[in-house]
Amino acid sequence: MHEHDMVIKNGSVVFPYVGVQKTDIGIKNGKISAIGADIAADSAKQVLDATDRYVFPGAVDSHFHVGIYRPLAEDAVSESTSAASGGVTTILSYFRTGQDYLNKVGPFKEILPELLEISEKSFLTDFGYHIACMTDGHLEEIEWLVTQGGVSTLKYYMFYKLLTLAGATPEAKNYLMIDNPVDFGYLYRYMQEVARVNRLYRQYGTISLSVHCENPEVIQATQAAVKANPSGVPMKDYSNARPPWQEELAINEVAIMAKYADCPINLLHLSSQKAVEAGTDVTERYPQVSFLMEGTLHHLGLSNDMDLDQTAKVNPPIRSGADVEFLWQALMDNRLKTVVSDHACPPLKRKDGDLWTCMPGFGGTSLMFPVLITEGYHKRGMPLHRIAEVNSANPARYHNLYPKKGAVMVGSDADFAIVDIDAEKQITLESLYTAQEFSPELGMKYKGWPDITVLRGQIIFKNGQIVGKPGNGQFIKRPVKLHYT
Amino acid sequence: MHEHDMVIKNGSVVFPYVGVQKTDIGIKNGKISAIGADIAADSAKQVLDATDRYVFPGAVDSHFHVGIYRPLAEDAVSESTSAASGGVTTILSYFRTGQDYLNKVGPFKEILPELLEISEKSFLTDFGYHIACMTDGHLEEIEWLVTQGGVSTLKYYMFYKLLTLAGATPEAKNYLMIDNPVDFGYLYRYMQEVARVNRLYRQYGTISLSVHCENPEVIQATQAAVKANPSGVPMKDYSNARPPWQEELAINEVAIMAKYADCPINLLHLSSQKAVEAGTDVTERYPQVSFLMEGTLHHLGLSNDMDLDQTAKVNPPIRSGADVEFLWQALMDNRLKTVVSDHACPPLKRKDGDLWTCMPGFGGTSLMFPVLITEGYHKRGMPLHRIAEVNSANPARYHNLYPKKGAVMVGSDADFAIVDIDAEKQITLESLYTAQEFSPELGMKYKGWPDITVLRGQIIFKNGQIVGKPGNGQFIKRPVKLHYT
Amino acid sequence: MHEHDMVIKNGSVVFPYVGVQKTDIGIKNGKISAIGADIAADSAKQVLDATDRYVFPGAVDSHFHVGIYRPLAEDAVSESTSAASGGVTTILSYFRTGQDYLNKVGPFKEILPELLEISEKSFLTDFGYHIACMTDGHLEEIEWLVTQGGVSTLKYYMFYKLLTLAGATPEAKNYLMIDNPVDFGYLYRYMQEVARVNRLYRQYGTISLSVHCENPEVIQATQAAVKANPSGVPMKDYSNARPPWQEELAINEVAIMAKYADCPINLLHLSSQKAVEAGTDVTERYPQVSFLMEGTLHHLGLSNDMDLDQTAKVNPPIRSGADVEFLWQALMDNRLKTVVSDHACPPLKRKDGDLWTCMPGFGGTSLMFPVLITEGYHKRGMPLHRIAEVNSANPARYHNLYPKKGAVMVGSDADFAIVDIDAEKQITLESLYTAQEFSPELGMKYKGWPDITVLRGQIIFKNGQIVGKPGNGQFIKRPVKLHYT
Amino acid sequence: MHEHDMVIKNGSVVFPYVGVQKTDIGIKNGKISAIGADIAADSAKQVLDATDRYVFPGAVDSHFHVGIYRPLAEDAVSESTSAASGGVTTILSYFRTGQDYLNKVGPFKEILPELLEISEKSFLTDFGYHIACMTDGHLEEIEWLVTQGGVSTLKYYMFYKLLTLAGATPEAKNYLMIDNPVDFGYLYRYMQEVARVNRLYRQYGTISLSVHCENPEVIQATQAAVKANPSGVPMKDYSNARPPWQEELAINEVAIMAKYADCPINLLHLSSQKAVEAGTDVTERYPQVSFLMEGTLHHLGLSNDMDLDQTAKVNPPIRSGADVEFLWQALMDNRLKTVVSDHACPPLKRKDGDLWTCMPGFGGTSLMFPVLITEGYHKRGMPLHRIAEVNSANPARYHNLYPKKGAVMVGSDADFAIVDIDAEKQITLESLYTAQEFSPELGMKYKGWPDITVLRGQIIFKNGQIVGKPGNGQFIKRPVKLHYT
């Protein structure tokens, strides 16, 4: 019998928080079994040669929207494939009731099993869900979600108060198929309940509330002003219609409530200097509150100074080049703690119509390493181990997957992205391994691509070929410290 | 011919910002004509002996609600009488369209003349109005209000978004007789227009927006929680139903928007430590914004540690004794700049019913000096000239009446409250000279009462007798520097 | 008998904190006896026509060094003459033992009477002294100084630790004729004693310590660096030799000690943006400490971007034009509370030699109004009543002369500067009425000059003629609330 | 040939920044060669069984004073033995010229080789030096120290300005055998030079200046006050003689200078709440400056509420129990980054005499794990991997030893402390393995002791026996990234 199932030899291993070290890695039963200067090739059934490659812990893409615009089963297959091609080995996707997604309402005790049943047949990568409670009844399920459901992170969408996803109509409640308001009163009660459950279970990991911080009432006024007097540059108009200062406003609103509710907060997809400064400011003003600040690949990789059409519409909007530069500084000085894709793929036809009614969002999960290595490491000198922190160790930690995921440690899941940091490629639709029919990044060049992805010791992507199968992925119950011994 | 129409002799004159000085004051044609160590008694037609008395500038009560719950003509007579008895010589009252008040909607160009016509026949004191724009059409009238209407201060009520005055029903729009929302989008556009007009006319005085800062969405949640689990002490329940932290939240919301709209803000009736600290905090964080912080007589004079019934319901609520003490410190260290009555008198029958549906508000204008002198001067050592600042010079300044009102200076209007700071009286309904059928202060003792009130050289109240007549009062067009030479 | 000794008619009177008002002023027995719209000319023995003139309260120049470089008797005559010509009616001068001044050491109980005896024969203006304690024995005299000596403000010179006035030699102790160190240990004990006396007498006025904040240890290093590599522009070299950041350092040092000693502090002659920001910062960080921030005429009127020779050497140095602009903003937004001359006149021969050894300091008291009116009112729109605050009412208040001095109020001393704000003059030595043989301002033009100065009802300067006599001035014992009824 | 020289089996390995994991460790040629779930026992020459033990990275004690009070050769042997017994595998000791230490003055180019020659024969543990420049000539050697000398961290002692070590006499310069002052001027030039060298070499690691922040001028005054009026409790008197606020003052002084010199600072041995708050405050106020905040074992383990005699005298002094509690919170919330012993052993006879003249300092290096595990882990729930951060990974990082030292990573030096976290022992002199004849901790009980210490793969301490020999230790040249490939 072999001592290891697989050994990854001769690579430079990227240890989050620690640094890069040339060393071999042994894998047994899907877990890391050894880290050694020279693990004998014949000690393993299979040898992966990583000469001239960097061995990163598999990325944890902690902001994803699988099944939002297309049938879940289909979308999970195609988009977890895209993830796998990009070195992502775990996806944490958002889910809510109402239109789109499963197009259902009801208790999560009933809907979650259905969601998981479909998911388990479809994902190539491991996965989990953040859940958005939409009703009072949902709030009562939070403790069950944590202890039974394996869901330890929740979400609140500020904009649904008045706006649908597209931001076009006030019929949000119909769209959400609910009766109750989506307002600060509901949010406060939501925070109180998350806080209560957090106090009970925080020894296993922080139970937190993710918030999309934009103020829809302000947006209605600012969007109307831009619509009345457009510049004609769509992504600038869209950014002005939802200006950064309303992110600042919304972040302050959420932070003050969180202070009084004692609720841990994940500030999602901070798009602008003002948003990051607001996040920093509330973190300093309210040290008793746990705030996590998240950045996205598209806010780091795209700016509205580029020539973008309305397929790049996303909420919050793509901002200016100066904002992009500020986000990179905030990432490098450790204010932004996680980088995510916020992957959500509308059919191209839902990107049609006018700027104000077409769907927001687009995919990006497969660019997790290319964007961070090109723009971070090559262009701005971000150390590789910091990249592994923001796309793997930190998301795993803050979302209660650590050290099962996100750690290069004996006993952790053997999830790896083996990356050629010097490989250069131009973006084509094929290179994204997605069902999405468009991409704002088409034609752009990135340097730094994974060529092998390993999930729990199994190769799922290699040299351009998808090797994994739908159903390879497992649902990871969180907090892992509660659900796994 | 006499050199003066009247001379006030032998009094200790209270000069705001300066101090107290024994000196005589001569009056001619309604204005101060001389300030002199010894003005000859025979130089004046009439001599008022102020031996052992303090001669304050007449108070400017800059937060008032005349005509809100009773017919304007009636209410203006009875409540400006109450004011006159309390040494108040100018009232600035809030006015809006919709139910209560004149029960009308429409443009202010039409309604303001009607309002003034009634008012001019009714007031014993001078008066002006702050106006609350409720519709887009109203926003377009702001410049007219300033330049033609004599109204240079505006108002926004956050709570009308969801709540009526009583805080009981969501039918706010019907109550207001409007179609448009009362939300942050409207508020932002409102601020932008106030800001624009301010930039045009600020050399004559700051054009500002007064905001009642409470967050109605939060209140719906917190009030429901208290209703579900009341303590039975009505004023504590009511305070918990609208907790101080939602004032803090609302103040932050307003302040951030004001920063981006460039709009001067008057933070009304700060009731609690948290509210004042929030006001201080935003003042320091956003030094480019002009913030004015207002205190009220009832938040300074009453606490819910006292034995109060639901007639003391008011928005924001009466707070704890610790809050009261904090407000006094904030007043004495010059953070609170003005003290007002927020006088509003519901009929006793509208104070009936349950705590949650009865009307908020009560009168207090006649206690302007008793509260400040008893609790400020006697109990906490607040200098008398500081009292004249907070109840006369500052409100006059910040609301564009200065130096016509609020100054003891040759050429200013001869408005005075001649006060016996050692007179002690127990509150009875009669002592308030109001039509209000109740008072939370009944039975309390105060030390420091006006015995003579002089309006533009005319005695309107003397030794317990109302001498003035309805119609004595004049509408003061603001900014006075624009409307009077 | 006439009702008034004098009446000033038809002037625009500048009331500090209040505004400007056309009104007449009556004077009797050296005090203001009436302020009246129209005081009959025949009611007074003497009429001063102030048509087209502004009647300011006489300036209180609260930072002065009489007798420092020349015999006190001589210097007090010539330099109080200069002050009188400039509308200054009260001088507060600094005094210490050691070389220069009276060239003596010993207890103030012995030296103060001698100082006052000479002074009383010499001054044309009223005067007082701030005293710098140099020894442990002096500290024990502080309470006597306040209660008997009429001196309620003290001083500490940080630089004497290592430097003489010229900053050239370490022989500071010989120069001061003392044995004890001048260091933070002494300063701390000094602050503790000022604080103790302040707690006893603060009801009569704050007993405070003025500190010249520069760090001599740093200066030794930075000056050596500049001397080794001079630019050749003397005032830039001198500024770099004592850079603004060491003011920031020294202010922080003093502020932290004051926090723990509980001692009120007067931060003298803030010369730079960094100094003012440091003063603002410590004021906000330590709200429990009373800080006063002082500006000088030369730091407001001169910059090292001008063509200045080494006669403009002063400590702290003349700074850049950007610093000057910042100081004006700080003055206008009320951070700097007082403006002073720091008048000190070395003989021209002591301005000889090299930049590093020649004497610092020069006169400026006669430019009190020209600088503030030209640069403040005409150029930057500073209101006239604010000028009266910073050069009269505030210095009087903070140094315990108010309301005897600094107030235009019946009963206050009848001290006035009657100013023609449109008169334009070019600086000559004659125009300064000083014994100083040079001036950095020679040839500069200012607009806004006093043409009459009145001290306690007596004209001491009129239309270019000095009318007052040495000995006209009185010693004003402070706090006036303790020493005068 | 064996694959490994040694394997440590069955232990729970403590990975800094990551967590604890049961895993085996292989060692080859003094370095970690493998980390594996199950490394075969027969793959190694030697097997160390760590069942029921925690395997920490060897501690890096980055504040030490070897040879200060006793001959270096002797002291290095005995005190590195004490360190080895306590799981410390690397010592960074401070060194300066002047009395004590080598009792010499002169250039470091001459003295450092001599220092290293003695050291290399004496140390049982690896070691390095921080160097305190005392003269202008020394400043010119800084770049040489970094590039040739293997010394990348410098030191400044504020108190030597006026005080000797004992704080008793002003003869500091004689003691230091120097002519130049030790003052802010020198410090500023010192910082400028450290900053310059840092800018040149920071890609290899931050070149920083460690500062002992106490203000000797203030201490002279505060100590005199306590001496004049002692309480009789020696450690309270000593704390009051050097009160925490003068640490706050000194930290602010240093921070402001560092801001202008652009110099990275290590704030040494923060003893009190005020010191830590000052460190936190300057870190926030001056984000452009790199500040490191250090805690010591004795300030974390001892308080002057305990019954301590004057052998516990140390600078800064032992503080109150409340301060101790605050330091623990600051350590646990990551404000204090390193924990050190500040080990310095005077002969008992130099602890004699009165409180004010006896020597400060005492040993503690052998208590590195007992204090942190007892007071941190057992009593306050500090995670074990955080302990490895503060006593190994962080000191290694901030002092440029990482990842050669401080990392449990393949390729790093195989330095380990194998700890029984449940072992309980009472302190005796024998248990400290020191030549020191006393200890303030005698009789105290701690729970959590190392039983094996491994240095570069060699056991140097095992089960109470010292196994290593003088000369086992190597001088580690820093930055390791510059000096080792």
Side-chain angles (χ1 to χ4, degrees), chain D residues 299-314:
Chain D
H299 292 119
L300 288 160
L302 300 177
S303 88
N304 61 25
D305 301 336
M306 298 173 174
D307 181 24
L308 298 172
D309 65 21
Q310 75 182 32
T311 60
K313 172 173 164 178
V314 65

Side-chain angles (χ1 to χ4, degrees), chain C residues 111-421:
Chain C
I111 296 177
L112 183 63
E114 180 182 348
L115 176 67
L116 296 185
E117 195 188 341
I118 301 170
S119 302
E120 282 167 347
K121 292 183 194 142
S122 312
F123 274 87
L124 275 83
T125 62
D126 285 354
F127 63 94
Y129 284 100
H130 312 281
I131 291 242
C133 295
M134 308 306 288
T135 65
D136 288 6
H138 287 162
L139 299 188
E140 291 172 19
E141 295 188 290
I142 293 174
E143 189 169 354
W144 177 87
L145 284 168
V146 171
T147 58
Q148 306 297 318
V151 169
S152 67
T153 45
L154 292 303
K155 176 158 186 187
Y156 179 76
Y157 297 83
M158 287 180 76
F159 63 85
Y160 278 137
K161 178 191 219 164
L162 294 173
L163 307 173
T164 57
L165 268 177
T169 122
E171 300 305 308
K173 284 192 194 178
N174 291 348
Y175 176 71
L176 296 172
M177 305 159 70
I178 56 174
D179 296 321
N180 55 289
V182 180
D183 70 1
F184 287 131
Y186 182 75
L187 176 55
Y188 182 58
R189 291 186 294 112
Y190 197 165
M191 285 182 177
Q192 287 184 305
E193 183 61 11
V194 172
R196 189 187 70 80
V197 176
N198 178 54
R199 285 189 294 269
L200 291 175
Y201 298 98
R202 68 181 155 202
Q203 74 267 36
Y204 303 107
T206 302
I207 313 304
S208 68
L209 183 65
S210 293
V211 189
H212 177 142
C213 291
E214 291 196 282
N215 186 301
E217 296 179 7
V218 169
I219 289 171
Q220 286 200 322
T222 48
Q223 183 165 303
V226 173
K227 282 169 84 167
N229 193 19
S231 77
V233 182
M235 286 304 96
K236 296 206 173 181
D237 281 348
Y238 198 66
S239 177
N240 291 334
R242 303 171 82 113
W245 73 259
Q246 54 86 22
E247 288 188 84
E248 174 185 339
L249 171 62
I251 288 165
N252 274 274
E253 290 175 309
V254 165
I256 293 171
M257 297 185 69
K259 172 171 61 151
Y260 289 104
D262 184 29
C263 179
I265 297 293
N266 178 11
L267 296 169
L268 297 176
H269 43 48
L270 302 181
S271 73
S272 60
Q273 177 170 352
K274 284 195 200 310
V276 172
E277 288 178 340
T280 305
D281 190 25
V282 298
T283 301
E284 288 176 1
R285 261 157 55 203
Y286 313 132
Q288 68 272 47
V289 184
S290 161
F291 292 107
L292 170 64
M293 290 165 68
E294 177 189 280
T296 76
L297 291 170
H298 48 270
H299 292 119
L300 288 160
L302 300 176
S303 87
N304 61 25
D305 301 336
M306 297 172 175
D307 181 25
L308 297 172
D309 64 22
Q310 74 183 34
T311 60
K313 171 172 164 177
V314 66
N315 296 331
I318 299 302
R319 305 296 190 188
S320 73
D323 282 301
V324 171
E325 199 49 47
F326 189 91
L327 293 182
W328 276 106
Q329 294 313 311
L331 184 62
M332 290 173 60
D333 71 13
N334 207 24
R335 282 186 281 174
L336 294 180
K337 290 277 191 285
T338 61
V339 172
V340 303
S341 71
D342 194 5
H343 194 89
C345 303
L348 187 51
K349 66 175 182 295
R350 295 183 74 176
K351 282 282 190 185
D352 263 5
D354 86 7
L355 174 61
W356 309 108
T357 53
C358 76
M359 280 288 140
F362 49 85
T365 189
S366 62
L367 299 175
M368 181 63 89
F369 284 97
V371 169
L372 286 168
I373 291 175
T374 305
E375 297 289 319
Y377 173 78
H378 288 303
K379 197 184 287 180
R380 295 176 177 89
M382 185 174 182
L384 294 174
H385 73 275
R386 289 276 301 127
I387 289 177
E389 292 167 21
V390 299
N391 79 4
S392 178
N394 283 348
R397 273 200 164 153
Y398 289 106
H399 298 297
N400 308 322
L401 289 163
Y402 194 84
K404 182 175 175 59
K405 304 292 185 185
V408 184
M409 191 161 77
V410 170
S412 297
D413 282 0
D415 299 344
F416 296 101
I418 301 179
V419 176
D420 180 350
I421 66 168

Side-chain angles (χ1 to χ4, degrees), chain D residues 234-307:
Chain D
M235 286 304 97
K236 296 207 173 180
D237 281 347
Y238 198 66
S239 177
N240 292 333
R242 302 170 83 112
W245 73 259
Q246 55 85 23
E247 287 188 85
E248 173 184 339
L249 172 62
I251 288 165
N252 274 274
E253 290 174 309
V254 165
I256 292 170
M257 297 184 69
K259 171 171 63 151
Y260 289 104
D262 185 28
C263 179
I265 296 293
N266 179 11
L267 297 169
L268 297 176
H269 43 48
L270 301 181
S271 72
S272 59
Q273 176 169 353
K274 283 193 199 314
V276 172
E277 288 178 340
T280 304
D281 190 25
V282 298
T283 300
E284 288 177 1
R285 261 156 58 202
Y286 313 133
Q288 68 272 47
V289 184
S290 161
F291 292 106
L292 169 64
M293 289 164 67
E294 176 189 280
T296 76
L297 292 170
H298 48 269
H299 292 119
L300 288 160
L302 300 177
S303 88
N304 61 25
D305 301 336
M306 298 173 174
D307 181 24

Side-chain angles (χ1 to χ4, degrees), chain B residues 27 57 114 125 133 145 152 181 253 328 365 373 427 437 448 484:
Chain B
I27 299 168
E114 180 183 345
T125 63
C133 295
L145 283 167
S152 65
E253 289 173 311
W328 276 105
T365 189
I373 291 175
I427 306 285
E437 302 142 291
Y484 304 86

